[in-house]
């Protein structure tokens, strides 16, 4: 053994010596290590990438490698066991003034380099920083061509003079916002609204103050252009959307600049498109200035963005946005000569442009900055609720310049008008949308979704419900409701308490009790928006009379994880009784089924951005996809009759293509173990039963099977989907009509269908399907018409049995 030790030592030493450490540095920024540089062997096979410190250890036995990084020259190295420090040089273009050309290839190459160097030029390379921003929103009109009416003849003339006098002294609207912004490579981003004020109302508009109407960063495929999205010209998608031209050279803060113009490759009618210029740092290949305007013959919108150099990075300095906000109509005096030569004064209508101006400036950047983890708790966007109560001192500190006399008058004048016309009440009405159907009355929020409902079991259901809000108590909310069904002639009621904890993540401990009814096998989507739950309860059960009654006690905890994941875990004791003719196994037909379950519910909406307000979480930006998952496990406690395991999953998405917009809903689930039929999965039918009048005409549901009768199909395991594809619209009787094609499918099975007695149902083992076409929002922007047809294995014999005509209800805000 002792003779082998020297040999092992020699082998180990040669192995260690043959390993080489390579440190890769940025040839443009000499003190900056380069992460994610690809290391290739002689066969161009990837050996690995450099770490965050720019270091890579070459494996033993490798004598030559190639270093590759997008936007940089490749470099080949011979390695012989020694440590190396290597600089990679960026690919650059040498452009003289005489070389400015209309050739698209050179400009396109320059745009690609900006994209490739975006990460290297990002201010986030500073690791930590903070800065302030101040935004001013102004709505105004040009009064120069708006004369006073010297002798007003009616109320309209007097109202016009009032507006004309107002424009002498103030603007039409003024809003301000002050924010703090923090960034840490370890903890992420944080945007904090410190103060805001909007003329015309004394109610803080928490739902809107955290919104970003214009993109702060230009590193996404699309940019926000005052809540409209356009393809970013400096993006890979933009390379397919625009043509480019190098148009000029310039100097900006002492740096050489190349100006590149961009414009759409093809003008598309009725499509929002932009053109403009980007100013690019010639050496760093970074954006330093941006200008864009929309291509429209009827309206104007312009966006201009400046960056400033900070520690060799380009940092946002100011954004300026101007948009045509419509027209203000007014009477004007026109001279006209009559046949007898006399001069006559005619009053005609003229219009003056109303302009929207939004300016945001960024200032007081500090880097590096020491942060604590607690500063980044909660959502990315946050509101400093304490400072919002007295915004003026904070706004004054953040303003670029003091308000002009006209701007100061705007607050005074428009506030008085807002008070006269009760703008605060109107804002509370608008807040119903953001709060899921709540209307605030002092210390209480009335839940408007509890007022009215209808289904074939309860008939017309009237109710009243609500909860206490933060004005009553900031940490505890009490809730309750009562309802009465005029067909089943029964009162329903419930109540509970929410104890608000872990507020940055909307955490709460909740306890509820309810005596009510619920549709059999319908399985509401847990953690869904209150509006969607309301619409589902109203529209999906109109023709359903398969209900069960229950008494339920629930105790649990709910909060958000990260920015856009919500979870809830709870224990639920339930007593359920079928209110339709039904018997399970050998139990009595009117048997009361007892259960105790633990329920875990998850909701993941990757594109949601939320902000916490005094009255709860508000989503300020949302999008598809959205995922829901509910897992329920029964336990043999509290005399539980059954202990099944139940899994339910929902996926919602929306796709935009050249062929239109497609909405997709996928639902699937499974139940394992014995349990009554109301705990299983029903087919979501929405057709009328029996020989009702106008059986094949009714109201469509919400992702229901419109040609299926409620209770016609039940399953232990199922998979269903709903595809709705909307194509380009056409004019019909001066109304824009957008046809929406529908296709739905369902497949499922049941292990022991014979365990369920006194009830007739199928299991969709052979795949149920229907198709249809809808013409939505034809009347009042809500009502439309839809036709649906049942076909395939489960189709009826005659056409009229498979065909349905229904009224559709679609809400734009939903």
């Amino acid at each position: 053994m002792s003779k082998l030790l020297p040999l092992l030592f020699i082998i180990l030493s040669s192995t260690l010596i043959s390993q080489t450490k390579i440190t890769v540095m940025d040839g443009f920024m000499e003190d900056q290590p380069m992460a994610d540089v690809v290391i290739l062997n002689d066969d161009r096979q990837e050996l690995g990438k450099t770490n965050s410190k720019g270091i890579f250890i070459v494996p033993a036995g490798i004598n030559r490698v190639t270093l590759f990084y997008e936007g940089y020259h490749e470099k080949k190295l011979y390695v012989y066991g020694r440590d190396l420090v290597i600089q990679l040089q960026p690919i650059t273009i040498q452009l003289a003034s005489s070389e400015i050309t209309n050739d698209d290839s050179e400009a396109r190459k320059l745009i690609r380099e900006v994209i490739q160097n975006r990460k290297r030029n990002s201010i986030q390379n500073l690791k930590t920083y903070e800065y302030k921003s101040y935004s001013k929103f102004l709505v105004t009109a040009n009064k120069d061509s708006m004369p006073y009416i010297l002798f007003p003849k009616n109320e309209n003339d007097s109202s016009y003079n009032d507006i004309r006098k107002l424009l002498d002294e103030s603007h039409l609207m003024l809003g301000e916002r002050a924010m703090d912004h923090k960034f840490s490579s370890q903890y992420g981003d944080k945007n904090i609204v410190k103060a805001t004020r909007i003329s015309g109302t004394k109610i803080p508009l928490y739902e809107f103050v955290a919104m970003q109407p214009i993109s702060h960063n230009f590193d996404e495929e699309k940019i926000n252009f005052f809540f409209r999205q356009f393809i970013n010209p400096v993006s890979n998608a933009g390379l397919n959307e625009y043509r480019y031209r190098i148009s000029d050279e310039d100097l900006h803060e002492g740096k050489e600049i190349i100006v590149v113009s961009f414009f759409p490759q093809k003008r598309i009618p009725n499509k929002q498109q932009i053109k403009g210029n980007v100013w690019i740092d010639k050496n760093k290949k970074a954006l330093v200035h941006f200008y864009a305007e929309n291509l429209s013959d009827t309206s104007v919108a312009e966006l201009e963005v400046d960056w400033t150099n900070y520690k060799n990075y380009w940092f946002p300095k100011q954004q300026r946005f101007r948009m045509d906000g419509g027209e203000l109509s007014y009477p004007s005096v026109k001279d006209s000569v009559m046949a007898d030569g006399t001069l006559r004064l005619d009053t005609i209508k003229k219009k003056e442009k109303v302009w929207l101006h939004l300016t945001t400036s960024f200032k007081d950047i500090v880097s590096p900055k020491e942060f604590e983890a607690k500063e980044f708790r909660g959502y990315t966007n946050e509101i400093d609720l304490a400072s919002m109560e007295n915004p003026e001192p904070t706004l004054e500190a953040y303003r670029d310049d003091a308000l002009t006399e006209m701007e100061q008058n705007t607050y005074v004048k428009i506030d008085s008008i807002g008070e006269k016309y009760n703008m605060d009440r109107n804002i509370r009405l608008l807040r119903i949308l953001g709060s899921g159907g709540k209307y605030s009355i002092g210390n209480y929020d009335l839940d408007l979704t509890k007022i009215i409902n209808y289904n074939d079991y309860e008939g017309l259901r009237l109710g009243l419900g609500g909860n206490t809000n933060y004005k009553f108590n900031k940490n505890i909310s009490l809730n309750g409701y009562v309802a009465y069904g005029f067909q089943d002639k029964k009162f329903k009621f419930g109540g509970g308490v929410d104890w608000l904890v872990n507020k940055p993540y909307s955490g709460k401990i909740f306890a509820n009790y309810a005596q009510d009814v619920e549709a059999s096998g319908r399985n509401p989507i847990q953690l869904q928006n209150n509006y969607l739950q309301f619409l589902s309860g109203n529209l999906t059960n109109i023709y359903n009379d398969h209900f069960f009654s229950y008494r339920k006690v629930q105790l649990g905890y709910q909060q958000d994880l990260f920015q856009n994941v919500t979870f809830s875990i709870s224990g639920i004791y339930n007593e359920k009784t079928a209110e339709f003719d039904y018997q399970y196994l050998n139990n009595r037909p009117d048997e009361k089924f007892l259960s105790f379950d633990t329920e875990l519910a998850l909701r993941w909406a990757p594109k949601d951005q939320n902000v916490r307000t005094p009255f709860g979480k508000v989503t300020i930006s949302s999008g598809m996809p959205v995922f829901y998952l509910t897992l329920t496990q029964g336990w043999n406690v509290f005399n539980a009759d059954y202990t099944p395991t139940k899994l339910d999953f929902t996926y919602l998405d929306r796709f935009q293509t050249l062929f239109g917009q497609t909405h997709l809903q996928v639902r699937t689930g499974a139940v394992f173990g014995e349990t009554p039929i109301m705990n299983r999965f029903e087919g979501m039918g929405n057709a009328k039963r029996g020989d009702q009048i106008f059986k094949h005409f009714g109201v469509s549901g919400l992702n229901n099977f419109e040609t299926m009768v409620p209770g016609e199909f039940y399953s232990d395991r199922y998979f269903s989907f709903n595809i709705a594809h909307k194509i380009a619209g056409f004019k019909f009787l001066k109304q824009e009509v957008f046809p929406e094609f529908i296709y739905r499918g369902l497949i499922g099975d049941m292990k022991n269908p014979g365990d369920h007695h006194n009830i007739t149902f199928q299991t969709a083992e052979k795949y149920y399907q229907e198709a249809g076409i809808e013409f939505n929002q034809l009347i009042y922007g809500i009502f439309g018409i839809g036709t649906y047809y049942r076909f395939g294995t489960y189709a009826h014999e005659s056409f009229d049995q498979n065909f349905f005509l229904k009224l559709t209800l679609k809400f734009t805000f939903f």
Side-chain angles (χ1 to χ4, degrees), residues 764-778:
E765 294 175 345
K766 298 179 181 180
Y767 184 52
Y768 184 97
Q769 54 186 324
E770 71 177 27
I773 183 170
E774 294 178 350
F775 301 91
N776 296 309
Q777 297 177 310
L778 300 178

Side-chain angles (χ1 to χ4, degrees), residues 11 21 25 37 50 59 134 194 201 212 290 332 343 450 479 496 505 523 643 660 700 719 737 744 751 803:
I11 294 173
K21 181 175 79 171
M25 306 298 289
V37 176
T50 56
Y134 167 76
K194 302 295 293 185
T201 178
Q212 303 296 341
F290 177 91
S332 176
L343 191 66
K450 300 290 186 184
N479 61 80
Y505 295 95
N523 300 291
T643 59
S700 69
F719 177 87
V737 179
R744 301 183 178 108
K751 188 175 182 181
F803 179 79

Side-chain angles (χ1 to χ4, degrees), residues 414-473:
I414 305 302
D415 283 355
S416 63
I417 293 174
E419 187 173 348
K420 177 180 178 181
Y421 292 99
N422 207 346
M423 285 294 294
D424 288 353
R425 181 196 61 190
N426 296 332
I427 290 171
R428 283 195 295 270
L429 290 172
L430 287 173
R431 186 164 281 170
I432 292 172
L433 302 180
S435 62
K438 304 289 183 67
Y439 182 75
S440 295
I441 305 174
N443 295 340
Y444 305 94
D445 292 341
L446 178 65
D447 189 348
L448 301 182
T449 67
K450 300 290 186 184
I451 293 176
I452 189 168
N453 203 334
Y454 180 86
N455 57 70
D456 269 0
Y457 173 71
E458 295 178 280
L460 179 65
R461 170 175 167 146
L462 299 180
L464 186 66
N467 59 272
T468 62
N469 58 36
Y470 71 100
K471 296 178 182 178
F472 178 84
N473 190 292

Side-chain angles (χ1 to χ4, degrees), residues 225-226 228 300-302 321-326 354-357:
F225 206 104
F226 210 79
R228 295 177 182 174
V300 177
E302 298 174 322
F321 179 82
R322 184 176 76 118
M323 185 176 76
D324 173 3
V354 174
W355 293 101
L356 282 66
H357 298 267

Side-chain angles (χ1 to χ4, degrees), residues 155-220:
E155 187 176 347
N156 288 337
D157 291 353
S158 299
S159 297
Y160 164 78
N161 278 348
D162 289 341
I163 295 173
R164 180 60 185 83
K165 183 179 180 182
L166 175 70
L167 291 175
D168 278 337
E169 301 173 347
S170 81
H171 301 289
L172 295 174
M173 183 180 178
L174 175 64
E176 297 177 277
R177 181 182 66 184
M179 294 185 71
D180 285 349
H181 307 267
K182 302 177 182 180
F183 172 78
S184 166
S185 58
Q186 181 179 1
Y187 303 122
D189 292 282
K190 194 72 169 180
N191 305 309
I192 307 168
V193 180
K194 302 295 293 185
T196 183
R197 188 177 179 188
I198 299 175
S199 60
T201 178
K202 296 179 182 179
I203 297 179
L205 298 179
Y206 300 108
E207 301 90 331
F208 306 108
V209 295
M211 291 182 177
Q212 303 296 341
I214 301 174
S215 298
H216 281 190
N217 299 313
F218 279 68
D219 55 1
E220 302 290 341

Side-chain angles (χ1 to χ4, degrees), residues 698-764:
V699 179
S700 69
L702 189 66
N703 295 315
N704 286 76
F705 285 87
E706 301 298 339
T707 62
M708 179 193 298
V709 174
E712 186 176 353
F713 290 88
Y714 276 95
S715 305
D716 288 342
R717 290 171 293 276
Y718 82 105
F719 177 87
S720 71
F721 65 90
N722 173 38
I723 296 175
H725 181 74
K726 184 186 294 184
I727 63 173
F730 59 89
K731 289 281 188 179
F732 179 74
L733 299 177
K734 298 183 179 181
Q735 174 74 38
E736 193 78 16
V737 179
F738 294 91
E740 193 163 347
F741 294 95
I742 309 295
Y743 178 70
R744 301 183 178 108
L746 167 70
I747 190 166
D749 64 9
M750 182 175 287
K751 188 175 182 181
N752 297 306
D755 292 345
H756 309 277
H757 308 294
N758 303 339
I759 181 173
T760 302
F761 63 89
Q762 302 181 72
T763 58

